[in-house]
Amino acid sequence: MDSDLYPLRRSFMNKRILISGFVPSLTKKYFCIVDKIDDEFDYLVMKEYKRTFKALYAICKGIHILKYDWIRESEFLEKTLKPESYVFKDHEVIYNSIEKVNQGFRVFKGL
């Protein structure tokens, strides 16, 4: 994946993540899980991509959707891995939508 198309933040430690579709068992403190969709979060994490409310919300906000492997492998290696390799890249529509939002398009502008 071309990281210039999907810029991700440089600092990965203690990222706030929202989980969709499963309950992770975290052993380390590399991530801060937020409970409510109204809370600020940096990434949405899913085991497999499904069109959930949280996924659609993340797309509208321009927030990247990552695979659960990012959390699992980060904990195994005891460091927070760069998320670029864990973005659901097989769903091109997701990324085109996120890129539009990051370029200024607002789905609910004026509402």
Side-chain angles (χ1 to χ4, degrees), residues 30-74:
Y30 298 110
F31 306 100
C32 174
I33 297 179
V34 298
D35 295 325
K36 298 180 287 185
I37 200 163
D38 296 345
D39 294 337
E40 288 283 325
F41 62 97
D42 301 297
Y43 304 110
L44 174 66
V45 176
M46 306 176 90
K47 280 194 174 180
E48 61 183 65
Y49 179 76
K50 293 183 181 177
R51 200 177 323 157
T52 65
F53 178 76
K54 289 178 182 178
L56 296 174
Y57 183 80
I59 291 168
C60 290
K61 298 282 282 181
I63 296 172
H64 290 277
I65 302 171
L66 305 180
K67 299 174 184 177
Y68 173 63
D69 293 342
W70 179 56
I71 293 174
R72 194 171 41 99
E73 292 174 17
S74 292

Side-chain angles (χ1 to χ4, degrees), residues 11 16 22 28 30 39 45 52 56 63 76 84 90 99:
S11 172
R16 296 166 305 204
F22 70 102
K28 307 282 190 273
Y30 298 110
D39 294 337
V45 176
T52 65
L56 296 174
I63 296 172
F76 179 76
E84 289 93 346
D90 45 340
E99 185 61 24

Side-chain angles (χ1 to χ4, degrees), residues 2-3 6 10-12 17-18 22 28 35 40 47 57 70 72 74 77 80 82 88 96-97 100 104:
D2 186 353
S3 61
Y6 310 108
R10 290 187 180 273
S11 172
F12 307 111
I17 58 173
L18 181 66
F22 70 102
K28 307 282 190 273
D35 295 325
E40 288 283 325
K47 280 194 174 180
Y57 183 80
W70 179 56
R72 194 171 41 99
S74 292
L77 296 173
T80 306
K82 293 183 180 181
F88 275 102
N96 290 338
S97 299
K100 281 183 180 180

